[in-house]
C-alpha cells in the first residue's frame, strides 16, 4: 500500500505530526476517552486521562467478548481464529486485549506505516515475549489484507470517522469474519441524515474542515453493515460518557485555545454523537 493512498490529513496527523505525542492524548491510546466513573468535578490528572482511554477499550472489548463469546462450537471458533483491530494506532489497545482480556491471537491493522513502526516500539516487550499472540499489519479498512473468515472478532476504536467508504468497510468486515463472528465499532458520527451537517461541523471543528474527519451519519454505517450481510446490528449512544469528560480534560490541561472544544457543543446541539455499534456474522 503506497502512502499516496492515505488521505492527506490522515497521513500528516498520524505521520510526522504524531497525534499520540501531544498531552491531550497522554498515554498513547489516541481516543477521546470513556469517562464513566471518573470524577469530573475536580481537577483531572494524567492518570485520569489514561484511565479514560483504557476504559474506552474495555467498553468495546467487553461488547466484543461478552456473554456467549466462548460458548458452544461457534464461541470456540471465535477464540481460535483471533481478533482484528482496525485502525490500531500505537497498538496499546491490542496489548490491552492480550494482557487484560486474555485474548490469545490479536492482530492490529493500520493504514499508516509510521503508526505501525511506533506500535512495534511501544509493544516491543510483548512482541518479544508472545509473538504468537500479537502482530501488526498494514492495511486499509476498505481493503483488508486477510483471507475470508480469518477472524472470530473485529473491533475498531475511534477510527471510523476517518474511513472514506463505509460500504466497503462493511463488506470487508463481513468477509473477514468467520461464521458467528462479532463486530464492535466505537466512534463519532452524526445522529441523522442531515445534508447541512458536514458544513456546520466544518464551521465548528477544524478536523472536519480540513478533511481529517468525515461527517458520516450513523445510519450509513449501520446500513452498510446490514447490507453486507451482518445481523443483529445494534447501536448505543455513549456520548454522555465521552464529550463532557473530554471537554473537561481539555479545560484542565490548558487546551482552551489550542484545541477546539466544540465537540461538546456539537453534541449538545445534536450534530454529533459517540456510538458503540455491534453486529454479528451469520452462524452458518
Amino acid at each position: 500500500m503506497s502512502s499516496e493512498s492515505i488521505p492527506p490529513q490522515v497521513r500528516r496527523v498520524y505521520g510526522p505530526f504524531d497525534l499520540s505525542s501531544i498531552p491531550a492524548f497522554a498515554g498513547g491510546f489516541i481516543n477521546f476517552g470513556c469517562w464513566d466513573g471518573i470524577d469530573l468535578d475536580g481537577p483531572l490528572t494524567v492518570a485520569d486521562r489514561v484511565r479514560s482511554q483504557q476504559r474506552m477499550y474495555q467498553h468495546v472489548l467487553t461488547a466484543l467478548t461478552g456473554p456467549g463469546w466462548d460458548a458452544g462450537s461457534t464461541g470456540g471458533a471465535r477464540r481460535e481464529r483471533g481478533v482484528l483491530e482496525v485502525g490500531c494506532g500505537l497498538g496499546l489497545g491490542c496489548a490491552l486485549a492480550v494482557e487484560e482480556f486474555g485474548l490469545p491471537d490479536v492482530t492490529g491493522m493500520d493504514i499508516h506505516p509510521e503508526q505501525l513502526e511506533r506500535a512495534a516500539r511501544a509493544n516491543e516487550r510483548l512482541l518479544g515475549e508472545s509473538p504468537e499472540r500479537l502482530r501488526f499489519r498494514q492495511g486499509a479498512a476498505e481493503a483488508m489484507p486477510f483471507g475470508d473468515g480469518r477472524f472470530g472478532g473485529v473491533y475498531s476504536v475511534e477510527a471510523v470517522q476517518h474511513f472514506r467508504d463505509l460500504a466497503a468497510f462493511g463488506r470487508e468486515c463481513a468477509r473477514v469474519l468467520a461464521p458467528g463472528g462479532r463486530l464492535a465499532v466505537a466512534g463519532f458520527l452524526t445522529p441523522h441524515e442531515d445534508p447541512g451537517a458536514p458544513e456546520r461541523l466544518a464551521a465548528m471543528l477544524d478536523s472536519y474542515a480540513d478533511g481529517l474527519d468525515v461527517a458520516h451519519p450513523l445510519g450509513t454505517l449501520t446500513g452498510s453493515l446490514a447490507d453486507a450481510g451482518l445481523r443483529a446490528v445494534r447501536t448505543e449512544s455513549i456520548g454522555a460518557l465521552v464529550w463532557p469528560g473530554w471537554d473537561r480534560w481539555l479545560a484542565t490541561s490548558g487546551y482552551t485555545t489550542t484545541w477546539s472544544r466544540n465537540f461538546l457543543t456539537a453534541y449538545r446541539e445534536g450534530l454529533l454523537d459517540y456510538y458503540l455499534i455491534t453486529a454479528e456474522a451469520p452462524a452458518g
Side-chain angles (χ1 to χ4, degrees):
M1 177 180 299
S2 68
S3 61
E4 288 74 18
S5 65
I6 305 173
Q9 275 302 100
V10 174
R11 185 167 62 245
R12 184 186 72 83
V13 169
Y14 294 100
F17 182 71
D18 185 10
L19 192 63
S20 68
S21 68
I22 69 171
F25 291 102
F29 285 87
I30 320 180
N31 68 68
F32 289 164
C34 181
W35 299 81
D36 183 31
I38 298 174
D39 184 9
L40 300 182
D41 293 329
L44 295 174
T45 66
V46 170
D48 291 326
R49 175 64 182 125
V50 173
R51 186 155 57 104
S52 78
Q53 295 176 89
Q54 292 171 328
R55 280 182 177 273
M56 180 63 78
Y57 269 95
Q58 290 162 349
H59 198 63
V60 172
L61 289 167
T62 296
L64 185 74
T65 65
W69 175 254
D70 289 316
S73 58
T74 302
R78 280 194 288 261
R79 175 171 285 276
E80 180 181 335
R81 290 180 182 272
V83 303
L84 168 70
E85 179 175 356
V86 180
C88 67
L90 271 65
L92 301 187
C94 295
L96 188 150
V98 170
E99 296 182 312
E100 183 174 325
F101 282 75
L103 296 180
D105 182 355
V106 178
T107 299
M109 183 189 78
D110 203 277
I111 195 172
H112 207 303
E114 288 186 57
Q115 288 289 74
L116 295 176
E117 291 170 5
R118 295 178 186 121
R121 293 194 296 269
N123 295 281
E124 183 177 6
R125 176 192 60 79
L126 185 56
L127 287 168
E129 294 175 355
S130 304
E132 75 286 354
R133 299 186 67 188
L134 176 64
R135 62 191 60 80
F136 296 105
R137 182 84 178 270
Q138 187 180 6
E142 301 88 348
M144 302 182 192
F146 307 105
D148 297 356
R150 165 66 176 82
F151 298 102
V154 173
Y155 69 97
S156 183
V157 176
E158 208 167 295
V160 69
Q161 72 278 359
H162 300 320
F163 302 161
R164 268 42 189 179
D165 186 344
L166 293 187
F169 170 62
R171 290 192 298 269
E172 284 294 272
C173 288
R175 182 183 66 78
V176 302
L177 278 171
R182 290 182 177 176
L183 172 72
V185 176
F188 48 96
L189 305 114
T190 64
H192 311 292
E193 297 274 355
D194 179 358
E199 184 177 353
R200 293 173 65 191
L201 285 169
M204 298 173 68
L205 293 160
D206 291 344
S207 60
Y208 285 96
D210 63 20
L212 176 64
D213 297 329
V214 181
H216 293 303
L218 173 64
T220 300
L221 176 57
T222 57
S224 295
L225 299 177
D227 289 345
L230 298 180
R231 61 188 182 95
V233 180
R234 298 183 177 90
T235 65
E236 176 190 0
S237 167
I238 59 172
L241 304 178
V242 176
W243 304 120
W246 170 244
D247 188 75
R248 186 77 183 86
W249 166 249
L250 292 180
T252 298
S253 56
Y255 281 85
T256 53
T257 57
T258 59
W259 190 282
S260 174
R261 295 180 60 191
N262 278 336
F263 280 101
L264 180 60
T265 301
Y267 168 62
R268 287 175 172 168
E269 293 184 1
L271 278 175
L272 201 63
D273 202 352
Y274 206 111
Y275 296 96
L276 174 63
I277 301 100
T278 56
E280 298 179 359

